[in-house]
Amino acid sequence: MQKNSLFTKGFIIGLIITFIVSILVAGAIFGLGIMITTSEGHEWDENLLVNLTDAFSISGLLGILIYLMAWVAGKGAFDMIAYSVKLFWYNTFHKNVKETNLPNSYAEYVELKHGQEKSSILYILLGSLPALLVGMILFIIYMVNVG
């Protein structure tokens, strides 16, 4: 019997951690919005719905953007930069580059890097979507009340 490889223990833990971090970031953004609102001489609850909408929307979007950045990095978008920086580092701070574990060429580096099995990072996207959805729902509520 083959086990579903997506919902492993690590995936569930990553999903929970991503969700918690997303909520904490939303709380920090909300707190910052309240501080700005009160420093401008307004009552903290005057823009409560706007601050909540901003907090959840930005938190969810940040998580999705982090997922997209990690996804393109996993596809090899930054391999040349990483290899160049490692080669520069080893040439600068080591006596002999051949004594390090850096492959001899960029082609070998890419082959080694993409030959490794990669774990799924989908938990970042799935853990960030609830915050974005809450932000969008709050935005709809705000637009209905304003309009």
Side-chain angles (χ1 to χ4, degrees):
M1 186 165 89
Q2 191 174 10
K3 185 179 176 184
N4 187 358
S5 62
L6 181 63
F7 294 107
T8 61
K9 181 180 179 182
F11 183 86
I12 302 290
I13 291 171
L15 184 67
I16 292 169
I17 290 172
T18 303
F19 181 74
I20 291 171
V21 167
S22 180
I23 298 302
L24 290 174
V25 168
I29 294 170
F30 178 72
L32 184 62
I34 294 297
M35 283 177 34
I36 291 171
T37 301
T38 55
S39 71
E40 292 175 350
H42 301 285
E43 291 295 321
W44 72 272
D45 59 346
E46 284 182 31
N47 295 328
L48 181 64
L49 197 54
V50 173
N51 287 334
L52 283 171
T53 301
D54 289 346
F56 283 103
S57 298
I58 292 171
S59 174
L61 284 174
L62 280 176
I64 291 169
L65 291 175
I66 289 170
Y67 165 77
L68 290 174
M69 183 70 88
W71 182 75
V72 297
K75 296 293 182 185
F78 305 112
D79 285 350
M80 185 173 286
I81 296 170
Y83 180 75
S84 299
V85 168
K86 286 180 183 179
L87 185 61
F88 176 77
W89 181 266
Y90 289 148
N91 276 325
T92 305
F93 297 108
H94 290 278
K95 293 178 186 175
N96 189 0
V97 176
K98 295 188 190 268
E99 293 176 1
T100 64
N101 60 355
L102 188 67
N104 292 331
S105 69
Y106 173 68
E108 289 177 15
Y109 177 78
V110 170
E111 186 177 319
L112 281 173
K113 185 156 175 129
H114 293 288
Q116 299 170 352
E117 184 178 331
K118 296 181 177 115
S119 60
S120 175
I121 57 169
L122 191 60
Y123 61 86
I124 299 172
L125 178 67
L126 296 177
S128 301
L129 279 177
L132 181 64
L133 291 174
V134 168
M136 293 298 109
I137 290 169
L138 289 171
F139 179 70
I140 291 169
I141 292 169
Y142 173 74
M143 292 305 290
V144 167
N145 287 337
V146 170

